[in-house]
Amino acid sequence: MARRQQEKSMETHDELRASAIHFFGEKGFNTTTISEITEHAGYAKGNFYRYWKSKDDLFLSIMEEKYRLYRARRVDSLNQASSMDDVIGVIIDFLEQILDDGKWARVFLEFTIHASGNDEVRKELNKSFYRLSSDLFADIVAPHRREPVYPSKKLGGIVTALFEGFLIQILLGSNSIDKEDLRTAIRTLVLHIDNP
């Protein structure tokens, strides 16, 4: 009996989560409501709060899972990287995975802007498993930087800023730069900053 209840609870969780993924992908974060998520999944609104304390909490769990999948794809490539150029290629490929993930790049950016107005959510979002953080970047490049002139954490922050700025340009419909321009800018910055 207890096992069946556990299975039913996991089924409810998964169906609510799938419904949320559907609506976030179609409508975005801000316009999706908890009521839509629960009604679409066929559950009462109270079921939602058995698993998540808020829509923010649910979205962060989805975002964490998506980033975990993106990162899993880069593990082998990072292990095979033998130079800073190789590592930067892996990082750029990781960023492009986010761009190529349908509407999710837009939804991630929308949520990032939303989080900026909520201290608790902003602090949570700044943890490295939700984004390419400065700390994570520094850890990835550390074995391949010889006598760095510029701090790796700051360099990671600049790379993230370039990526997020590029994402904004795409979402605004600007055609002045493309992925190849982003790739070139990141490579130029990272590979030449220690060797001016």
Side-chain angles (χ1 to χ4, degrees):
M1 179 83 156
R3 183 178 173 95
R4 178 62 192 133
Q5 286 176 329
Q6 268 185 323
E7 289 172 359
K8 179 60 180 154
S9 180
M10 278 306 294
E11 184 180 307
T12 301
H13 173 274
D14 294 347
E15 288 173 353
L16 287 166
R17 197 169 188 282
S19 179
I21 290 169
H22 166 77
F23 280 107
F24 290 147
E26 290 302 311
K27 296 178 60 178
F29 175 80
N30 288 325
T31 57
T32 296
T33 66
I34 292 172
S35 293
E36 286 175 317
I37 292 168
T38 56
E39 286 173 22
H40 181 261
Y43 294 100
K45 195 172 178 181
N47 284 305
F48 178 92
Y49 294 103
R50 289 176 51 206
Y51 305 101
W52 304 281
K53 63 182 178 180
S54 65
K55 185 170 76 164
D56 293 337
D57 188 38
L58 168 59
F59 189 83
L60 284 167
S61 75
I62 292 168
M63 194 171 181
E64 181 180 357
E65 178 62 25
K66 282 195 163 285
Y67 272 76
R68 186 179 296 121
L69 292 172
Y70 298 147
R71 288 188 177 114
R73 294 178 194 147
R74 77 172 184 215
V75 170
D76 288 340
S77 298
L78 281 175
N79 289 337
Q80 294 173 14
S82 60
S83 69
M84 188 63 172
D85 188 54
D86 292 345
V87 170
I88 295 309
V90 173
I91 289 171
I92 292 169
D93 289 345
F94 165 74
L95 296 173
E96 287 184 353
Q97 282 181 62
I98 298 167
L99 291 171
D100 294 340
D101 193 3
K103 300 171 186 172
W104 281 94
R106 174 186 53 80
V107 180
F108 289 153
L109 183 61
E110 179 188 355
F111 186 77
T112 301
I113 293 165
H114 163 78
S116 71
N118 180 316
D119 284 345
E120 183 181 333
V121 178
R122 182 178 45 79
K123 285 176 188 172
E124 188 66 24
L125 184 60
N126 275 318
K127 293 180 179 175
S128 66
F129 44 81
Y130 295 118
R131 53 202 316 243
L132 177 64
S133 71
S134 299
D135 290 334
L136 183 58
F137 180 90
D139 290 344
I140 290 171
V141 301
H144 301 282
R145 287 189 86 196
R146 296 189 183 128
E147 301 177 33
V149 174
Y150 199 79
S152 293
K153 284 185 181 183
K154 285 188 177 188
L155 189 56
I158 293 171
V159 169
T160 300
L162 282 171
F163 172 71
E164 290 174 348
F166 176 73
L167 184 54
I168 290 168
Q169 291 294 311
I170 288 175
L171 297 176
L172 292 176
S174 169
N175 293 324
S176 59
I177 56 175
D178 59 23
K179 281 198 273 188
E180 192 56 41
D181 296 318
L182 176 66
R183 192 175 267 274
T184 299
I186 291 173
R187 275 192 188 286
T188 301
L189 171 71
V190 174
L191 297 177
H192 299 287
I193 200 159
D194 292 329
N195 301 305

